[in-house]
Amino acid sequence: MNIEEALMTSNAYYAGEFDAAVVGAGHAGCEAAHACAKLGLNTVLFTLHLDSIANLPCNPSIGGTAKGQLVREIDALGGIMGKVADRCCIQMRMLNRSKGPAVYSPRAQMDRNSYSHAMKCLLEKTDNLLIRQAHITHLLTDNGKVCGVMTESHAVYRASRVVICSGTYMESRTIRGEVIALTGPDGLSRSVGLSSSLADAGVPLLRFKTGTPVRVNGRTVDYDKLTRQDGEHDVPPFSYDNEMRGGKVPEEQVPCWSVWTTDETREVIEANMDRSPLYSGVITGIGPRYCPSIEDKFMRFADKNRHQIFVEPLGRDTEEMYLQGFSTSLPEEIQIKMVRSLPGLENAHIQRSAYAIEYDLVDPLSVRPTLESKIVGGLYTAGQINGSSGYEEAAGQGIIAGINAALSFLGREELILDRSQAYIGVLIDDLVTKGTQEPYRMMTSRAEYRLFLRQDNCDARLTPIGHMVGLVDDERFALYEEKQRRIEEEKDRLASTFIAPSDELAALLESVGSVRPPSGISLAELIKRPQVSYELLAPVDKERKPLSDDVIFAVQTDIKYEGYLKLEKDKIAKFSELENKKLPQDIDYEAIGGLRLEAGQKLNKMRPENVGQASRISGVSPADIQVLLVYLELKKRKDKDGGQ
Amino acid sequence: MSMAVSDNRPFCACSTPPGTSGIAMIRVSGEGAGKILDRCVKIIRTSSDATSVSQMPGYTSAYADFFDPANGNSIDKIIITRYVAPHSYTGSEMADISCHGGSAVKQEILSVLTDNGMRYADPGEFTKTAFAMGKLDINEAEAVMNVINAESSAALRAANSQLNGRLSSRLAEAEERLYRAMALIEMIVEFPEHDDTPENDDEVVRLTRQARDITASLRDSYAKGRILTESMRVVLCGMPNSGKSSLLNALAGYDRAIVTDIPGTTRDTLELLTQINGIPVTLIDTAGIRQTGDKVEAIGVERARKACDEADIVVYLAACDENEEEILRQMRELYSGKDNSNVTLVFSKSDLGINPGSERIKAEAKSLGITSVAEVSTDGDGITGAGTEPVRQIITEFYEKAGGSNSSEIIVLAKRHSDLLASATERLDMALATAEGGLGVDIMSSVIRASLDDIGKITGKTVSVQLADTIFAGFCIGK
């Protein structure tokens, strides 16, 4: 349907023109709309409900392993998730402290309602951006290109760039035992019609499943029987901007709790498995392996007698508690028995039931690394609609989709982050190159260059890009450059400051189990020793000037990991060679002599952006890549000859 | 150069067919090739004033010594032809090395080149580079694309014939352990808040060590793999006039070596490729080893000692009419303090009867760890064809032991695989060292991943996909 046809439908009216329309105001949609507006596009953001903007319908937390890195990357690019999360944080921790800086991961508990409210307020105050509560039912296209959207009430909006971030709402249904409800998450209304509209435009669709646990009233929980887990204060905020301006995590933090399932839990589940929609076949969508329901855990891991459950607050003031690890799609009455089998929750009162949810999504193999559709020009998708799972994964795609929609509108060069630059790059490349069979969760082990993709250096990796794109303003960029200057100066100073093997130094080193150096040694060499920290050397490092924690951390990590980082950077240099060889979009791969038939077909279908991406497509061999390289060179020469 | 992919080190390959031949050619190409050759080639004679390869003008040749800079040992006398960019086949700096066609010589030269900064050429790479450097016209270049896949599938077929067998399952065992080790690390990393994630460093180290032992033993098995794919080197030695040349001729079935009864007739080593019971064997006849005043013969003796060191099998020939004391002295000199499991003591029987001192010589051999003893028959003209049967038997047995036909041992046959396994082993050693050094598991994991990348280049598996599957299959996690 195009604009004219849409306007012919009953009660239709023309509601105006925008440069960009974003459908869905979850974590992806908020970042996308913010990025478009910041880059100067006249932008509208549609949401099914204004009070559910940036909703956290599952876990009331942001960050965690790999996800914490994503939040900081989004912030380094000039996104908003980190800033809002810092404002609404009620508990902060740095996970993996004992496992090495490459896998340090910040994680924060959120005040769920504040988060949603703070994001709404921030967006309302953003120039060039308007928010509209509306149910988008139609994508309008003309000649294979997007031209607008239409609402349920037939308001027709014209826009040449549309970003769809439908989360789990498209044609969703929620399931508890035999009870199926045609709703989105949290009993909110779902999106109807939009996915048919996408299918009509030729976009291939998939159907996935995910789930969420129960919420209980904390006053009905006997915390004496639970294990308490407090937050930490020596963790930087998510946002580099906040960190550079001396921002801290909140003084007063709220605890989380943990508890183990019992034999009774297992018995209740086993006795009622016949009522599980997953096992009876009611649910057909594919669920995530890393986020199994509790009944799935007991069934698939029969040798494990118990599972750990975390009890997390939904806010600072509310009594509502979330039971992480206890997601289920068993019937409500069984859920009550299951919850009450947990120590300390014998009398727990459930405020919201657990449920499984099924939803439509786009096959990510039909999406380019810019997150523009290969099928409909000007259409971008981000978040769970592309097969991912998680708030942070959604937001990471949202900012890229928003940036690219804007850059394309402005006629500027598009932005693709590669696997060596960011977790966001790994995430998008995995989705659009390999596709996914289940909701995709970011994990640090998916990144080949994990030593380089750290939570502490997202700014060094991405802030210059954010500034070049236009999301990071000059003032913040100046702060960033100052920080980098301090890091480099201190590294140089430590490398060129030699100290004598004095008794004072020897005593200092012995106190941590290290030995006296045979002769004069640079401070940097000492810091390379596993036991020696920057702090430890303070008494013998007389010229040291006070530096902020973030600078010290960066300096220390760079020095300690120098050798390994160099190995990884060599690998990155090799990787980048293929990544930088662009493939023209008009190649007929099946006509290239020497390319195997299977490879030709796959490449014609996938249309990779560059030789690197082509090399990661299943069915394309290293020899095929060599052939492609020869072909590219040949083409270049022929073009050159033709031009003369 | 726009087409350099991922590795711009100069590359090398043997351009003549595998196996033993009179002369073989090794070709190297790439910027910096000359500098690397300077380290291992010493020019003896050439038409210009050049004293090193990189000083040689293009299109000139030199007679030179190729040696291993690591120990200074000479490997072969070569003729090297130099090409200067852009006037070469590939368009970049190039050299052709003509060497003796023994398989060990070729492999050693290639090993020295790769040890000193070159790498093996990919299938079709010389032609591809020639194209990239503008050396081929467009019509020729279009053929290149076909060549790459054709050569690559031939290489793949060769690899698959091994990989269908036990090598792949052995590698799978190493991979399985490494994935389990990594999954243990990754579980702790990805789901740190769970108290029930297995935090078991000992298990990680145990699995890594097991995998390391597998990759190391496969790497070492290439020593045997070379025997199977190229040929077995059988060195004949002993006192002058002990009948070595005679044995060589009998084994070969025709007169190759000059046989006289003047001791010291064979002054240099002589190589001969033949088949014994269907096994490709290079017979190496050496100068008789004795203290000598003759300068030419002294060089021959030195070469004979070296040939013995590099042999797969050494046949020590003791003739009946030789001075018993001399033989005993020489055996002690040659063999004491060495692993002599590949040495066979062979007595040549003659019309004169069995060597009277044979019992003493046997006892001496036994104390030196030489357990294999045989006899060959001679008549008036020397060793007879039928008389060589005991030696043929020993060669056959050794080949079988090396994994020839039905050994249970797994053997790596390709140099490329052996190199990848060496790299994987080195990284696993690094991983084990980081575990001891108290660095974070992030480093250990990164190094194990790199070793899996190496193994994956043989098995064709991609690390990240396998890893996620291992994590999900083995552990119960999530919200």
Side-chain angles (χ1 to χ4, degrees), chain A residues 289-290 300-301 436-438 443 445-446, chain B residues 179-180 182-183 186-187 461-477:
Chain A
R289 285 178 297 178
Y290 51 83
R300 276 178 43 208
F301 298 92
T436 182
Q437 303 299 313
E438 63 183 337
M443 301 198 293
S445 51
R446 297 196 196 268
Chain B
Y179 283 121
R180 256 164 62 204
M182 268 188 85
E186 298 307 331
M187 275 305 302
K461 286 179 191 153
T462 322
V463 177
S464 40
V465 177
Q466 297 280 319
L467 183 59
D469 286 347
T470 312
I471 294 176
F472 294 141
F475 303 101
C476 178
I477 32 76

Side-chain angles (χ1 to χ4, degrees), chain B residues 40 65-76 108 112 302 306 309-310:
Chain B
C40 41
D65 183 32
F66 191 98
F67 63 97
D68 184 351
N71 51 26
N73 288 347
S74 169
I75 292 165
D76 197 12
E108 270 186 67
V112 168
E302 191 43 49
K306 194 162 170 277
D309 287 344
E310 290 164 4

Side-chain angles (χ1 to χ4, degrees), chain A residues 14-203:
Chain A
Y14 183 66
E17 177 169 3
F18 287 89
D19 298 337
V22 179
V23 180
H27 305 284
C30 290
E31 292 291 349
H34 175 262
C36 282
K38 275 279 174 190
L39 296 185
L41 272 65
N42 189 17
T43 307
V44 61
L45 171 62
F46 295 105
T47 173
L48 282 166
H49 204 292
L50 270 173
D51 296 328
S52 62
I53 287 178
N55 190 16
L56 304 164
C58 198
N59 213 318
S61 74
I62 283 182
T65 49
K67 291 160 174 275
Q69 281 86 331
L70 282 170
V71 179
R72 301 209 83 189
E73 286 180 357
I74 294 161
D75 179 78
L77 277 172
I80 46 182
M81 177 175 242
K83 283 198 168 162
V84 176
D86 283 343
R87 206 176 302 164
C88 307
C89 169
I90 57 174
Q91 191 207 76
M92 190 80 178
R93 291 172 63 208
M94 183 65 86
L95 306 178
N96 281 336
R97 278 186 203 259
S98 64
K99 288 146 203 160
V103 291
Y104 276 27
S105 303
R107 180 184 196 272
Q109 297 299 134
M110 288 295 118
D111 187 298
R112 173 179 165 169
N113 285 349
S114 307
Y115 190 89
S116 180
H117 185 70
M119 185 65 84
K120 175 170 177 269
C121 297
L122 186 154
L123 294 175
E124 285 167 346
K125 292 183 202 318
T126 301
D127 291 342
N128 305 325
L129 179 59
L130 293 174
I131 312 176
R132 182 71 165 92
Q133 179 167 311
H135 179 186
I136 302 299
T137 52
H138 288 82
L139 179 73
L140 305 180
T141 59
D142 207 353
N143 272 329
K145 284 206 162 71
V146 154
C147 57
V149 293
M150 182 165 75
T151 70
E152 187 181 32
S153 52
H154 291 200
V156 176
Y157 290 86
R158 190 187 288 276
S160 64
R161 301 295 182 283
V162 171
V163 187
I164 300 183
C165 310
S166 56
T168 59
Y169 284 76
M170 275 200 317
E171 307 296 331
S172 61
R173 53 179 204 162
T174 53
I175 302 139
R176 276 154 292 166
E178 302 81 2
V179 180
I180 297 172
L182 298 180
T183 69
D186 264 338
L188 292 162
S189 61
R190 63 179 190 155
S191 154
V192 179
L194 186 58
S195 73
S196 328
S197 177
L198 285 168
D200 288 347
V203 177

Side-chain angles (χ1 to χ4, degrees), chain A residues 266 270 279 288-307, chain B residues 187 196 469-478:
Chain A
R266 179 192 197 107
E270 281 174 356
Y279 284 78
R289 285 178 297 178
Y290 51 83
C291 186
S293 61
I294 186 72
E295 55 268 28
D296 219 16
K297 290 185 193 178
F298 275 115
M299 292 298 119
R300 276 178 43 208
F301 298 92
D303 56 320
K304 267 191 120 184
N305 289 319
R306 57 177 207 163
H307 297 276
Chain B
M187 275 305 302
D196 54 346
D469 286 347
T470 312
I471 294 176
F472 294 141
F475 303 101
C476 178
I477 32 76

Side-chain angles (χ1 to χ4, degrees), chain B residues 136-183:
Chain B
L136 305 177
D137 71 26
I138 298 240
N139 291 330
E140 284 173 306
E142 268 168 351
V144 174
M145 292 192 277
N146 291 314
V147 170
I148 292 170
N149 248 321
E151 286 196 21
S152 162
S153 61
L156 200 67
R157 269 200 302 280
N160 276 341
S161 64
Q162 303 177 39
L163 286 176
N164 285 333
R166 299 186 308 261
L167 176 61
S168 65
S169 59
R170 192 74 180 134
L171 285 173
E173 283 172 38
E175 282 181 322
E176 190 262 344
R177 282 169 174 81
L178 292 177
Y179 283 121
R180 256 164 62 204
M182 268 188 85

Side-chain angles (χ1 to χ4, degrees), chain A residues 460-509:
Chain A
R461 291 186 275 123
L462 300 172
T463 295
I465 295 174
H467 184 246
M468 181 194 71
V469 165
L471 280 185
V472 171
D473 61 32
D474 291 343
E475 186 193 337
R476 176 171 171 179
F477 191 63
L479 279 177
Y480 157 80
E481 286 191 306
E482 174 63 16
K483 174 182 164 186
Q484 298 307 315
R485 191 183 59 75
R486 289 210 179 114
I487 292 171
E488 291 311 315
E489 277 179 8
E490 184 64 356
K491 271 158 58 180
D492 288 348
R493 188 186 72 81
L494 293 170
S496 59
T497 306
F498 284 77
I499 54 171
S502 64
D503 290 346
E504 188 191 8
L505 176 64
L508 208 56
L509 292 174

